[in-house]
Amino acid sequence: MRRDLGDRDIPDAVIDDAVLILSELLSNSCRYARPLTVLTTLGDEARAALLDPELGDDGGILVHWQLHGDGLLGLEVTDGGSTTRPVPARPSRTSHGGRGLGIVGQLADDWGVRDAPGQVTVWAMLPAREHCASHTSPGARSA
């Protein structure tokens, strides 16, 4: 994703935020959700591009990003769902985890969860061309 967005001249600060958001969403999916079994409904060519022959067709996680005409970058992670819905936690100061969706909420303009039969998609939207001033002070640069 980093390379693809860089090739589209997306600012580095936006790419950094997008990578962090995607990392958080993927981490949650790998940790809490079931594999997506809907991969079997994809066409043969699409499945071949997604599946590792050594791993077989036991399901997985789909990741999607798209630049929208309104200047927003959409990120999506789709999996087979879990027994609970993704919600931001309220971790204590000493907790080792539970901050991921809070980070997503701070970096993204909006995020949410979309359900479909046998799958759950967690999505986030952020401005693709201008870095959001809500989490960067004017004139600040990313390290």
Side-chain angles (χ1 to χ4, degrees):
M1 181 179 71
R2 182 179 291 280
R3 188 174 328 133
D4 179 49
L5 296 178
D7 289 348
R8 297 172 191 234
D9 296 323
I10 302 299
D12 287 342
V14 173
I15 293 172
D16 290 343
D17 285 355
V19 167
L20 179 56
I21 289 169
L22 187 60
S23 172
E24 292 296 338
L25 299 181
L26 274 169
S27 296
N28 284 349
S29 181
C30 290
R31 184 170 184 186
Y32 300 110
R34 293 180 299 272
L36 184 65
T37 58
V38 179
L39 292 178
T40 58
T41 64
L42 296 173
D44 289 339
E45 190 172 312
R47 282 182 51 223
L50 291 171
L51 299 176
D52 183 335
E54 294 180 16
L55 298 176
D57 191 5
D58 292 337
I61 300 168
L62 292 178
V63 175
H64 178 76
W65 61 90
Q66 180 178 358
L67 289 170
H68 297 274
D70 58 2
L72 292 176
L73 170 61
L75 308 170
E76 296 184 351
V77 173
T78 303
D79 56 44
S82 160
T83 57
T84 61
R85 285 190 56 80
V87 294
R90 297 180 190 264
S92 71
R93 293 177 65 137
T94 58
S95 294
H96 293 287
R99 293 172 180 80
L101 288 178
I103 292 169
V104 170
Q106 289 295 310
L107 296 178
D109 274 8
D110 197 11
W111 75 275
V113 181
R114 187 173 61 244
D115 294 300
Q119 66 185 37
V120 172
T121 300
V122 182
W123 57 268
M125 301 291 281
L126 64 155
R129 298 292 175 197
E130 296 181 22
H131 201 57
C132 184
S134 66
H135 61 274
T136 303
S137 61
R141 298 179 66 198
S142 295

